[in-house]
Amino acid sequence: MRIIFTMLTCILLSSCQLSPSGSPQFLTVLHTNDNHGRFWHNEQGEYGMAARKTLLDKLRTQAKHKGHAVLLLSGGDINTGIPESDLQLAEPDFKAMSLLGYDAMAIGNHEFDNPLNVLEQQQKWANFPLLSANILHAADNSHAYQPYTIVNKQGLSIAIVGLTTTDTAKIANPQYLGDLIFAEPAAALSSVVDSLKAKHHVDVVIAVTHMGHFHDASFGINAPGDVTLARNIAPNTIDMIIGGHSQEPVCIDAQGKPDNQFAPGKACAPDQQNGVWIMQAHEWGKYVGKAEFKIENGVKTLLSYELIPVNLKNADGEYINDYIQPDPELKAFLKPYQTFGEQKLKGSIGYVDGYLDGKRSTVRFKQSNLATLIIKAQMSSVDADFGIISGGGIRHSIDTGEVSYKDVLKVHPFKNRITVMQWSGADLYDYLNIVARFPPDSGAYLQYHKLSFDIIDGELSNIMINNEPLNLNARYRMSINSYNAAGGDGYPNLSSLEGFKPTSMTDADVLKAYLQKYSPIEVNSL
């Protein structure tokens, strides 16, 4: 049974006005984030947008009976993660969101995994605005995308402002960013809110963000997220943050610490910083977040909050709550997209005799056997002496047994091309002196093959290429994908250097070809 967390005290968040009758008004905010291509339920029947619609319809009906206005918001990152969606540029996801009745979404960093004309097409598929107030054109600092929208619900005027992580400048594909720059979020938000309040009467102001929740503003190597934002704006600038990017359920215990006891179906209390509520609903449509507010005499009171599971199962394989039947009309609408994707992906392309580890907790912290296989495939395709990639580009593991093209595309969803760089030994040393220093727990963390080195007392040393010491006067061929070669993840940009050569081969197709040629792959021999 879901337990609703009820706030006992009224919290002043920002000024608002009474309804004409002087009676309190009520607002229910529903939210999701980081969909990442999960328009269809998974193999265990969990989540999926058709079941989400059934739940949303129920929640809207309940809210209507209580006299609540209702908003549905997304914290962004609709793209990238499931091949059936990736192959179709997230068309089923954006069109389904339109049918689900989203009011707005934040533009996430993965909205730039494709050329900008794809994002333009996705905006056309959506019947709701894609927002970001801090993505600007470099030439004149004008807004590249719609910064905010104002919606009117049952007498409430609600402003929704979008924000995108500034890390997008380094973690998105630089080839797809054009002249876009990512301004500091707090300054951008404050400016836009001041402007919109000067033009419009608004009762509620919401920041819908794709920046991440980092508890107590401990953002580490990441760009600052929602907590930093809330602390760095003037009180009463906004009322709440509906977030995404860190892909977590934001649940805080009575001591203000992360609630490590939270699990699907249990109570969840959102974070609060500087009078601003901060909410995030994990990832993939696993939950719908629901916040109920009372608005009276300039005071906004959070009445209840919960993260409602969407057909999640427990360790015994049982649904945590009653099974939510997928909406039949939306399921029928999405079925052709799922069938098309399945037809494109079915069949075995190879075999591996062990687990290839692509977990985030591995590829961003230590060397991975899956990374070794990937780099071997890329080296083979361009006859390289050694190869490198950033760990953050590996998005999934491969299980023991038959391997499908879908498995490969889950590992490589970004359609990066393979490139080769021919170095002098001296220039290679300078390059490695940069990329070898990217820290663990970052997407930039270096994965490599036929290369070894030490960093002792801050000095790069003992560099070996193909088991031979680096010769500063020799020439070396390095394989690297187009994302890192263009400066992605903060790597030096190689694309204009002498010795750089791009190819038309994608990382997924190269890995597929390698598996087809060399299967069965003996994992212990990688």
Side-chain angles (χ1 to χ4, degrees):
M1 174 181 294
R2 294 190 299 273
I3 304 172
I4 299 178
F5 174 81
T6 304
M7 304 305 299
L8 300 178
T9 59
C10 296
I11 305 297
L12 178 62
L13 296 177
S14 73
S15 63
C16 65
Q17 295 188 3
L18 294 174
S19 62
S21 65
S23 60
Q25 295 168 283
F26 297 89
L27 173 65
T28 292
V29 180
L30 307 174
H31 64 98
T32 63
N33 55 278
D34 293 274
N35 182 72
H36 287 297
R38 268 76 176 182
F39 70 88
W40 200 250
H41 54 264
N42 70 2
E43 291 84 353
Q44 288 75 47
E46 297 178 301
Y47 46 88
M49 297 180 88
R52 192 190 311 174
K53 185 175 190 306
T54 300
L55 175 59
L56 290 172
D57 288 348
K58 176 183 176 182
L59 295 176
R60 284 192 175 103
T61 298
Q62 292 173 344
K64 181 179 179 181
H65 287 162
K66 291 191 286 187
H68 287 215
V70 182
L71 277 179
L72 176 58
L73 303 172
S74 167
D77 266 11
I78 310 307
N79 287 292
T80 308
I82 295 298
E84 287 89 344
S85 172
D86 297 341
L87 287 170
Q88 300 172 85
L89 301 175
E91 179 180 354
D93 307 82
F94 279 97
K95 288 186 173 179
M97 288 179 72
S98 297
L99 295 172
L100 288 170
Y102 278 81
D103 291 289
M105 66 167 267
I107 295 176
N109 58 286
H110 282 286
E111 269 62 83
F112 299 97
D113 287 345
N114 302 291
L116 293 179
N117 66 321
V118 174
L119 180 53
E120 292 172 5
Q121 179 60 59
Q122 291 170 338
Q123 289 176 299
K124 295 175 182 177
W125 289 330
N127 63 2
F128 53 90
L130 281 60
L131 304 176
S132 185
N134 69 314
I135 303 180
L136 309 175
H137 289 295
D140 57 6
N141 285 333
S142 63
H143 289 292
Y145 298 97
Q146 185 175 335
Y148 71 91
T149 188
I150 295 178
V151 298
N152 294 290
K153 302 271 187 174
Q154 294 185 200
L156 285 173
S157 178
I158 305 163
I160 306 163
V161 184
L163 293 168
T164 305
T165 175
T166 58
D167 269 347
T168 306
K170 67 178 182 180
I171 61 179
N173 193 324
Q175 297 173 309
Y176 297 153
L177 292 179
D179 73 334
L180 301 180
I181 58 175
F182 296 80
E184 196 277 318
L189 176 65
S190 298
S191 174
V192 167
V193 171
D194 286 347
S195 176
L196 72 87
K197 284 183 175 180
K199 298 176 182 177
H200 309 277
H201 160 73
V202 291
D203 301 296
V204 181
V205 182
I206 301 173
V208 59
T209 73
H210 192 83
M211 295 174 22
H213 179 271
F214 307 110
H215 186 73
D216 201 27
S218 300
F219 51 85
I221 61 171
N222 303 288
D226 294 334
V227 174
T228 302
L229 174 69
R231 292 180 178 182
N232 287 351
I233 55 178
N236 302 327
T237 301
I238 60 174
D239 301 306
M240 69 191 81
I241 295 171
I242 302 299
H245 187 51
S246 50
Q247 297 181 224
E248 61 181 315
V250 173
C251 301
I252 305 300
D253 66 19
Q255 288 72 45
K257 297 179 180 180
D259 185 359
N260 296 322
Q261 302 303 311
F262 175 77
K266 292 187 176 181
C268 175
D271 199 1
Q272 189 194 34
Q273 301 284 333
N274 193 23
V276 178
W277 294 108
I278 303 175
M279 310 171 203
Q280 188 179 156
H282 202 184
E283 62 185 1
W284 306 353
K286 291 178 178 178
Y287 300 90
V288 170
K290 185 184 81 166
E292 294 184 322
F293 288 91
K294 177 183 177 182
I295 305 170
E296 184 178 24
N297 293 333
V299 175
K300 298 181 181 72
T301 307
L302 179 63
L303 300 176
S304 68
Y305 185 72
E306 57 184 324
L307 290 178
I308 306 170
V310 183
N311 289 342
L312 298 186
K313 292 183 176 181
N314 60 25
D316 297 324
E318 301 168 333
Y319 289 107
I320 292 165
N321 294 330
D322 293 336
Y323 178 70
I324 301 171
Q325 290 288 344
D327 178 80
E329 291 185 6
L330 186 58
K331 185 176 180 180
F333 174 81
L334 293 172
K335 180 61 177 175
Y337 293 102
Q338 179 69 9
T339 300
F340 174 84
E342 288 174 343
Q343 292 298 316
K344 288 281 188 179
L345 299 167
K346 68 180 181 180
S348 173
I349 60 170
Y351 183 90
V352 298
D353 69 356
Y355 178 70
L356 293 169
D357 190 351
K359 296 191 298 293
R360 185 186 183 98
S361 58
T362 298
V363 298
R364 296 175 182 233
F365 288 85
K366 59 185 178 181
Q367 296 303 295
S368 156
N369 57 6
L370 177 54
T372 299
L373 177 64
I374 289 168
I375 298 170
K376 287 182 73 171
Q378 295 180 6
M379 288 172 55
S380 177
S381 71
V382 293
D383 192 27
D385 299 305
F386 73 101
I388 66 171
I389 56 173
S390 59
I394 301 171
R395 307 303 285 196
H396 210 273
S397 300
I398 295 178
D399 289 324
T400 304
E402 299 292 334
V403 181
S404 69
Y405 189 36
K406 177 175 180 176
D407 295 322
V408 169
L409 289 174
K410 288 165 76 174
V411 171
H412 283 317
F414 300 120
K415 300 177 285 294
N416 293 315
R417 291 173 292 107
I418 308 307
T419 73
V420 62
M421 178 69 195
Q422 184 163 309
W423 293 105
S424 70
D427 289 340
L428 175 57
Y429 177 87
D430 293 338
Y431 179 78
L432 293 175
N433 205 25
I434 297 172
V435 301
R437 297 178 184 274
F438 289 119
D441 197 20
S442 71
Y445 178 77
L446 185 69
Q447 296 283 343
Y448 49 88
H449 183 58
K450 293 297 182 180
L451 165 70
S452 63
F453 54 86
D454 293 317
I455 298 180
I456 301 174
D457 296 329
E459 294 294 326
L460 179 67
S461 61
N462 300 328
I463 300 172
M464 306 287 285
I465 307 291
N466 250 329
N467 298 315
E468 295 288 337
L470 175 68
N471 182 342
L472 297 182
N473 297 313
R475 305 289 293 180
Y476 298 97
R477 288 174 63 85
M478 178 186 79
S479 65
I480 184 172
N481 65 43
S482 57
Y483 169 72
N484 293 133
D489 271 335
Y491 280 53
N493 191 331
L494 308 179
S495 57
S496 62
L497 298 182
E498 183 180 353
F500 175 75
K501 183 178 180 180
T503 78
S504 61
M505 300 177 289
T506 68
D507 46 14
D509 287 341
V510 163
L511 182 56
K512 174 184 176 182
Y514 193 89
L515 285 162
Q516 289 174 322
K517 183 175 181 179
Y518 293 106
S519 285
I521 302 294
E522 297 180 2
V523 171
N524 288 335
S525 66
L526 290 173

